[in-house]
Amino acid sequence: MGKFVDHATWPLRPEDEGPHQAGPEPLWSESVYLDFAAEDGSVAGYVRLGLYPNWNRAWYWACLVGRDRPAVLLADHHVPLSVPGPPEPDGAGTRPGVHAVRGEGFGGFRAVHDVTAPMRSFRVTLDAGAAAVVDDPATAYGDLGSAGTTSLAFDLEWRSGGDPYPYRFMSRYEIPCEVAGTIKVGTEEIAFSGYGERDHSWGERDWWRLSWLWSSGRLDDGTFFHGMRANVGFEMPWPCFTVPPGGETEEREGFTAASEFGEDGFPSGARLEVPGLPMTAVPVAFAPVAMTSPDGEVARFPRALCRFETEDGRSGYGWTEWHQPPGWRGHGWR
């Protein structure tokens, strides 16, 4: 892999797998998401490392969900900033350094994110002494100090299953992946093999102003897809791509979505208009997070493992998020 979709708007390079120079904005951040799902949706999860150098902290999220199992959640918003290691030889020049973080929330955790081969392979190792066990996803928005806990550990590798896809209008890219490794939750050990996507972005991100939908998954015929739209009051060519089985990343312009929400704010589903591949997304298991701004505003982030059903009869699993800042219901989700 390594052939980039050429937008001719900004040059994505292998060096972008490493850290970037922070801007002056108070909410400038650098973010890495890595999610995964078994082909049958039985087990899934994600991790996110968000670096906020001008706020002097990092956020770290990790979760494990699945059918017929409670969500296991780790969400620490007061992690000391990680320090990237120096580039290391890989036989073909240098590769970006390693990010290592350590938090003290719950039973404490340590995690290492390692770009083992730029644009081709990324490894995460996580060892959390205690993560919250959540039967009702709404409780994840409150104080989890009284929740039951269990240990959680990941040793997973994301290998690129498609070419990197950069967004046109922001410094962000996505890579569909095959994911494999080992998961440990309590006394259970899972040899995992499945699929997912990894996402890297940098720049100003105000979680308490803009709402959006982001979705990615893999269908049962081997097709990967991704789409994202923000609620900005008008439509535009939102980022969208597909990767056919054994094929190359294909950009598709015109993605949009319409979502339905319950009284509790959790989405009941969405219609995803991937051009040429319309589908529905139905949440199977939620792994939500609540975030408090420096000024005390609260945003909610109901991210969910979803089952996707296309109009032509295909199905699959992946992740969808519906970001909900203050006033989000009036943001035009349809």
Side-chain angles (χ1 to χ4, degrees):
M1 300 298 170
K3 177 182 176 182
F4 305 156
V5 175
D6 184 9
H7 292 315
T9 55
W10 65 281
L12 177 62
R13 306 165 302 164
E15 292 81 3
D16 284 316
E17 291 271 65
H20 294 81
Q21 180 66 42
E25 302 88 352
L27 293 177
W28 190 96
S29 69
E30 184 148 21
S31 169
V32 176
Y33 280 96
L34 302 106
D35 63 35
F36 58 90
E39 192 164 15
D40 63 357
S42 58
V43 177
Y46 72 90
V47 297
R48 177 180 183 265
L49 172 63
L51 306 176
Y52 298 87
N54 300 328
W55 199 6
N56 195 33
R57 67 185 62 194
W59 291 357
Y60 199 84
W61 306 341
C63 72
L64 184 71
V65 300
R67 290 195 310 271
D68 305 320
R69 65 167 62 232
V72 177
L73 301 174
L74 168 66
D76 191 335
H77 294 154
H78 300 278
V79 180
L81 284 167
S82 67
V83 178
E88 300 177 15
D90 68 350
T94 60
R95 66 177 177 87
V98 176
H99 274 290
V101 292
R102 184 183 297 269
E104 301 300 329
F106 283 88
F109 77 91
R110 62 182 183 274
V112 176
H113 287 205
D114 185 2
V115 180
T116 51
M119 303 296 173
R120 300 194 304 275
S121 177
F122 195 115
R123 184 182 180 194
V124 171
T125 55
L126 165 69
D127 185 4
V133 179
V134 178
D135 291 303
D136 178 358
T139 63
Y141 292 144
D143 182 6
L144 290 175
S146 60
T149 63
T150 188
S151 58
L152 180 66
F154 294 155
D155 187 351
L156 297 171
E157 184 176 23
W158 280 255
R159 288 190 172 273
S160 297
D163 301 317
Y165 176 84
Y167 285 19
R168 286 182 182 271
F169 50 87
M170 66 178 73
S171 48
R172 183 174 192 152
Y173 60 93
E174 315 277 349
I175 306 178
C177 294
E178 300 175 358
V179 188
T182 303
I183 299 166
K184 296 180 181 179
V185 54
T187 59
E188 180 184 9
E189 182 168 334
I190 302 167
F192 181 82
S193 179
Y195 303 91
E197 187 161 296
R198 65 182 180 99
D199 166 309
H200 185 189
S201 66
W202 56 99
E204 184 179 23
R205 179 180 294 182
D206 188 339
W207 290 85
W208 302 274
R209 180 176 58 87
L210 192 66
S211 60
W212 66 78
L213 177 146
W214 178 107
S215 188
S216 76
R218 181 183 180 274
L219 302 176
D220 50 15
D221 73 336
T223 297
F224 289 97
F225 69 89
H226 167 82
M228 176 270 176
R229 75 176 297 273
N231 296 320
V232 296
F234 57 89
E235 292 304 323
M236 58 180 288
W238 296 109
C240 180
F241 69 82
T242 60
V243 183
E248 296 183 350
T249 300
E250 300 173 356
E251 183 179 25
R252 300 194 179 196
E253 289 194 7
F255 175 79
T256 189
S259 300
E260 299 288 346
F261 300 92
E263 292 184 2
D264 59 3
F266 282 93
S268 57
R271 167 83 175 182
L272 306 181
E273 295 292 345
V274 177
L277 190 63
M279 67 183 74
T280 57
V282 177
V284 174
F286 286 99
V289 182
M291 297 152 288
T292 302
S293 76
D295 299 326
E297 292 187 296
V298 176
R300 291 183 170 184
F301 191 61
R303 207 170 200 262
L305 167 67
C306 288
R307 179 174 171 84
F308 302 103
E309 299 276 356
T310 69
E311 285 191 352
D312 62 14
R314 287 175 283 174
S315 63
Y317 290 90
W319 284 86
T320 304
E321 64 192 37
W322 295 260
H323 181 54
Q324 301 171 343
W328 66 273
R329 285 191 180 272
H331 287 191
W333 289 90
R334 297 189 63 82

